[in-house]
Amino acid sequence: MDTGDGGGIFNELAAVREAKKDLSRREEVAVRRARNSGLSWAEIGTLLGVTRQTMHRKYRKVG
């Protein structure tokens, strides 16, 4: 497949994929720290721009 840019788009997409993985790991660590510090699911959700239910569903195993 000819991308017309020497494969640059493939490298860019791979970089985005890696950045998403890193961000996901960072979010999980931050959520764990927030829960260990006593923040509620609602507070964490508000800070991340999602609902309490979304946070609990995604991270209920974290704490």
Side-chain angles (χ1 to χ4, degrees), residues 12-48:
E12 182 66 20
L13 290 171
V16 168
R17 181 188 65 228
E18 291 305 311
K20 287 172 67 174
K21 284 185 198 177
D22 182 53
L23 185 58
S24 180
R25 285 188 293 267
R26 288 179 61 192
E27 181 180 85
E28 184 174 337
V29 168
V31 167
R32 183 179 296 115
R33 289 181 64 205
R35 289 293 292 163
N36 288 338
S37 294
L39 270 67
S40 70
W41 291 116
E43 291 168 320
I44 297 167
T46 296
L47 291 168
L48 293 176

